[in-house]
Amino acid sequence: MPGRVHLVSQGESVTCLAVREGLRPETIWEHPQNRPLRERGRTLSVLHPGDEIFVPAIREKVEQCGVRARHVIQVATRTQRLHVRFLLDNEPRIHLAYTLRVDEAAPIAGMTDADGYIDHEVSMYARLAEVQFDSEDDEPAHRLYLSHLNPATTASGVQQRLRNLGRFWGEDTGEWDKETRRALAGFQESLGMQATGEIDEATRAALVRAHGA
């Protein structure tokens, strides 16, 4: 088989697609037919619903193994990093005990660090992580949808980052509506930039830096 074109759905990344297809992420991402995606600012971890990505066929590999002998074949497992900072009124939530649940895996107990971060290696297949602080047992858990971040070059990607920074409370409409422009202007003003409410390369870069991705 020569390969196929895959239509990206929300929550899919090159890495998780590679794991599902039995390929290395670089094998997919560096293929010449995916150059247009790279040029549009997509990354291994951030794609956009509707993107078309070429998935090459798996190349067959034959290993010579003698009979009546034991052979060990190692398969590499891929994980993704869950690195998230929790703030309250723009102050890091430091040294707080929490329980992390990732999909159906066993819960993990942890504590935020001195900067309010949690840091875990989770399965590349993981889709939903929930963080429940011990001090908030009577409150809903914080739900984190993994691999759902859209590119910062799209309106929905800007909206998602502004929401995660606590500056936007609307829906991911993918439209440059008044609410989005107002939130963007507030973000620009907080950095001492001209509060135009318009996205430009300087604002986009600042938004990615502030968000961390």
Side-chain angles (χ1 to χ4, degrees):
M1 294 178 60
R4 63 184 179 84
V5 174
H6 175 76
L7 187 66
V8 175
S9 299
Q10 185 70 60
E12 287 187 318
S13 67
V14 176
T15 308
C16 71
L17 181 61
V19 172
R20 190 168 68 231
E21 297 290 334
L23 296 166
R24 294 173 62 250
E26 296 78 12
T27 301
I28 296 177
W29 190 233
E30 295 173 4
H31 195 280
Q33 288 188 228
N34 290 323
R35 181 178 177 181
L37 283 179
R38 298 193 297 270
E39 292 178 343
R40 289 165 60 193
R42 306 303 195 246
T43 69
L44 281 169
S45 58
V46 179
L47 296 174
H48 191 264
D51 283 344
E52 292 186 347
I53 186 167
F54 180 76
V55 181
I58 294 178
R59 291 179 295 177
E60 187 177 87
K61 183 178 181 180
V62 178
E63 293 286 348
Q64 300 295 330
C65 299
V67 298
R68 296 183 180 180
R70 181 178 179 180
H71 304 278
V72 177
I73 299 177
Q74 293 183 330
V75 179
T77 58
R78 294 255 179 185
T79 59
Q80 59 182 325
R81 186 183 182 198
L82 180 63
H83 186 64
V84 181
R85 191 184 197 195
F86 287 88
L87 304 174
L88 181 62
D89 295 330
N90 289 324
E91 293 296 327
R93 307 190 67 182
I94 65 173
H95 305 315
L96 290 181
Y98 64 85
T99 299
L100 170 66
R101 292 178 173 82
V102 181
D103 292 338
E104 302 301 322
I108 302 170
M111 181 173 291
T112 57
D113 66 15
D115 292 314
Y117 283 99
I118 69 171
D119 197 345
H120 295 272
E121 293 290 330
V122 300
S123 169
M124 190 57 65
Y125 291 106
R127 287 292 173 266
L128 175 64
E130 295 185 312
V131 178
Q132 182 73 63
F133 288 106
D134 292 359
S135 58
E136 298 178 345
D137 282 340
D138 56 343
E139 298 290 335
H142 300 272
R143 296 169 68 88
L144 309 173
Y145 294 93
L146 309 183
S147 298
H148 277 61
L149 187 65
N150 290 338
T153 53
T154 65
S156 60
V158 171
Q159 291 169 333
Q160 289 173 332
R161 287 166 176 81
L162 288 171
R163 177 188 294 107
N164 291 343
L165 292 171
R167 294 189 171 276
F168 177 72
W169 301 100
E171 298 295 328
D172 299 344
T173 61
E175 301 291 336
W176 296 107
D177 52 30
K178 291 182 179 179
E179 192 171 359
T180 303
R181 295 179 190 277
R182 188 181 303 114
L184 191 58
F187 171 75
Q188 291 169 323
E189 185 177 12
S190 71
L191 297 180
M193 305 173 72
Q194 186 177 0
T196 64
E198 301 290 338
I199 191 72
D200 54 29
E201 287 307 312
T203 300
R204 197 187 314 278
L207 183 59
V208 170
R209 284 195 302 271
H211 186 268

